[in-house]
């Protein structure tokens, strides 16, 4: 009987995605057309997304079948392992049971290929030959480059300039899988050129890179756009993670009191937690935590309202927590957690009190990452170090309350391309950024001109 590692049989990946929208007491507010203020229809998204994904975006079906060609590719690394963190528990001196789902075993080293493969497949099915996208730290760009290579498609990636410079091997990884990667803002699009005209040394942001990729897709017949987080269909594709974890927790004879994920756009948190959130909505007692950086505190300090998904204001208005579409975050190491907005579904759950949000500074997160690596062996990506910090906070709280809890978190990626971040931490060069209140206030002014929710 294994006590540390819980593996499903090789065909143990679910054959359906789980759609939380089917079980919500009230649906989240709809995306709006910024011109009319009216809810958008599917036709508004048709120039940039294939119809199958648009259908999933608005679906109210509880279970959506995973096509066999997608399952075949996922089977390269799925089911992923679930571990009980016995060594880390001992190190923390806790009698809480800590489990983690490890998504770092995918070819790109994170949960992102779960949706990249599905998105490439549905594009290919509708005759699309080329996909344009943005990437922050390079995780998404490499995941989509991998997925496109599996289906013989082209991939163009606009990579946030600060990460393009600081994470060169992620770019090389994209190129290895045949992707083409440029630093954003770039000279390749109107949106990029407009930013560079005002600020030639712009470090870029996800909002700017999205504008570039959307423009690329909208202006080319052979190309569609793809997003690695935030949208309903992306969160949907990640639910294989939580469905597997549920089966594996059962093998461990356990059920989580607390489920934790780091949150940049919300997809790995949603992927792990939504199958459990279904039980919470049905009455089960459970705490679900979104862990985010204090330097980009979208859920903990951003406003809940309508905002654009991108800086150039080309996307529909999404109902979400936001720091404002022109927000440029401090250059923290968690490139994947630097987005100004948040998935509408996750925002809705935080707004309605189903999910709690917590923010942490990067040095306290890396402190946990090093302790984790020295006990469990795996070196976490910078993003899930925030989940680690949230887990430790839960452990400390349990100790104060004199209770033992079962905690499950998503170790959504490994950090083997992020050694520069660990290097900064060890050498004392890593700094913390507290977002000044003036910037939050400035964002409120930007958002005040946009529609409110409800
Ligand atoms: C992209 C990424 C994130 C942030 O995205 P979510 O949609 O919030 O999951 C977090 N961790 C890793 C390893 C990533 O690659």
């Amino acid at each position: 009987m294994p006590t540390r590692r819980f593996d499903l049989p090789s065909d143990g990946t679910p054959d359906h995605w789980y759609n939380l929208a089917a079980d919500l007491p009230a649906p989240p507010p709809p995306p709006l057309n910024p011109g009319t203020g009216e809810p958008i229809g599917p036709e508004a998204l048709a120039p940039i997304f294939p119809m199958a994904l648009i259908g999933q975006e608005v679906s109210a079906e509880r279970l959506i079948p995973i096509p066999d060609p997608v399952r075949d590719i996922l089977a390269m690394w799925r089911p992923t392992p679930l571990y009980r963190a016995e060594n880390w528990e001992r190190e923390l001196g806790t009698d809480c049971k800590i489990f983690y789902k490890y998504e770092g075993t995918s070819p790109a080293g994170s949960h992102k290929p779960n949706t990249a493969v599905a998105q490439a497949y549905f594009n290919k099915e509708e005759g699309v030959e080329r996909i344009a996208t943005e990437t922050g730290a390079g995780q998404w760009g490499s995941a989509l480059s991998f997925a496109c290579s599996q289906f013989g498609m082209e991939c163009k990636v606009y990579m946030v300039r600060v990460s393009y410079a600081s994470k060169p091997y992620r770019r090389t990884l994209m190129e290895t899988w045949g992707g083409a990667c440029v630093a954003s803002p770039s000279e390749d699009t109107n949106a990029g050129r407009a930013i560079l005209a005002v600020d030639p040394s712009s470090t870029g942001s996800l909002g700017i890179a999205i504008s570039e990729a959307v423009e690329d897709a909208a202006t080319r017949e052979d190309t569609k756009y793809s997003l690695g987080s935030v949208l309903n269909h992306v969160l949907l594709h990640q639910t294989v993670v939580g469905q597997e974890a549920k089966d594996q927790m059962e093998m461990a004879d356990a059920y989580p009191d607390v489920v934790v994920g780091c949150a940049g756009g919300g997809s790995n948190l949603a992927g792990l937690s939504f199958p459990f959130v279904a039980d919470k909505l049905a009455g089960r007692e459970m705490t679900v935590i979104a862990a985010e950086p204090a330097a980009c505190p979208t859920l903990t300090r951003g406003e809940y309202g309508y905002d654009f998904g991108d800086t150039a204001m080309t996307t529909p208005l999404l109902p979400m927590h936001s720091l404002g579409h022109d927000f440029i975050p401090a250059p923290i190491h968690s490139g994947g957690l630097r987005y100004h907005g948040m998935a509408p579904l996750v925002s809705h759950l935080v707004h309605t009190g189903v999910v709690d949000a917590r923010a942490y500074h990067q040095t306290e997160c890396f402190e946990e990452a090093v302790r984790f690596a020295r006990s469990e062996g795996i070196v976490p990506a910078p993003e899930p170090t925030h989940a680690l910090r949230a887990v430790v906070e839960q452990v400390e709280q349990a100790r104060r309350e004199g209770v033992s809890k079962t905690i499950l978190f998503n170790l959504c990626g490994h950090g083997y391309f992020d050694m520069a971040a660990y290097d900064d931490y060890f050498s004392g060069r890593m700094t913390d950024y507290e977002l000044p209140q003036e910037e939050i206030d400035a964002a409120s002014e930007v958002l005040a001109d946009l529609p409110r929710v409800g």
Side-chain angles (χ1 to χ4, degrees), residues 110-112 139 228-229 262-269 336-337 381 383-384 412-413:
S110 76
H111 64 291
K112 296 250 169 53
Q139 288 272 17
S229 186
C262 65
S267 74
N268 87 81
L269 169 73
L337 306 185
E383 293 84 2
C412 57

Side-chain angles (χ1 to χ4, degrees), residues 32-38 40 308 313-317 450-451:
L32 301 181
N33 176 320
T36 64
E38 295 298 317
I40 57 163
F308 292 97
M313 302 181 284
T314 50
T315 69
L317 289 169
L450 296 169

Side-chain angles (χ1 to χ4, degrees), residues 112-259:
K112 296 250 169 53
N114 296 330
T115 183
V117 170
Q119 292 192 46
Y121 169 79
F122 288 115
N123 273 285
K124 177 87 177 181
E125 281 291 289
E126 294 182 29
V128 178
E129 292 162 11
R130 181 177 173 273
I131 301 182
T133 196
E134 74 291 331
T135 196
Q139 288 272 17
W140 172 241
S142 47
L144 193 64
S145 296
F146 156 70
C148 285
S149 76
Q150 289 290 309
F151 291 104
M153 303 169 78
E154 275 183 66
C155 184
K156 169 79 180 263
V157 182
Y158 295 86
M159 183 170 186
V160 177
R161 185 172 296 273
V162 61
S163 301
Y164 186 89
S166 65
K167 306 204 168 178
Y169 296 131
R170 276 277 162 200
R171 172 173 54 80
T172 312
L173 190 56
M174 292 178 226
E175 288 168 356
T176 305
W177 279 313
C181 176
V182 292
S184 166
S186 79
E187 294 286 351
D188 296 2
T189 65
N190 289 327
R193 286 187 292 268
I195 301 273
L196 289 174
V198 180
D199 180 7
S201 62
S202 168
T203 52
S205 69
L206 270 177
I208 294 170
I210 293 174
S211 298
E212 292 205 89
V214 169
E215 180 184 324
D216 182 319
T219 52
R220 277 182 65 146
E221 201 50 47
D222 63 346
T223 302
K224 295 237 186 268
Y225 168 70
S226 163
L227 193 60
S229 186
V230 177
L231 298 180
N232 299 343
H233 67 268
V234 181
L235 275 51
L236 176 78
H237 299 157
Q238 293 295 350
T239 57
V240 290
V241 178
Q243 292 182 79
E244 286 177 8
K246 244 181 156 170
D247 290 345
Q248 289 162 307
M249 290 297 282
E250 212 171 290
M251 290 170 74
D253 207 11
Y255 191 96
D257 303 304
V258 184
V259 181

Side-chain angles (χ1 to χ4, degrees), residues 61-132:
E61 293 291 318
R62 178 171 290 106
L63 297 177
I64 296 176
I66 306 177
D68 283 340
V70 173
R71 291 190 83 217
D72 281 350
I73 297 177
L74 295 184
M76 287 165 68
W77 71 93
R78 305 208 71 86
T80 60
L82 178 99
Y83 292 100
R84 167 104 184 257
E86 283 184 347
N87 293 346
W88 192 38
E89 286 171 17
R90 211 168 298 123
E91 191 63 33
L92 293 170
T94 180
D95 55 7
C96 288
K97 294 192 182 81
I98 306 175
F99 293 86
Y100 58 99
K101 182 73 166 156
Y102 183 44
E103 289 293 308
T105 57
S106 76
S110 76
H111 64 291
K112 296 250 169 53
N114 296 330
T115 183
V117 170
Q119 292 192 46
Y121 169 79
F122 288 115
N123 273 285
K124 177 87 177 181
E125 281 291 289
E126 294 182 29
V128 178
E129 292 162 11
R130 181 177 173 273
I131 301 182

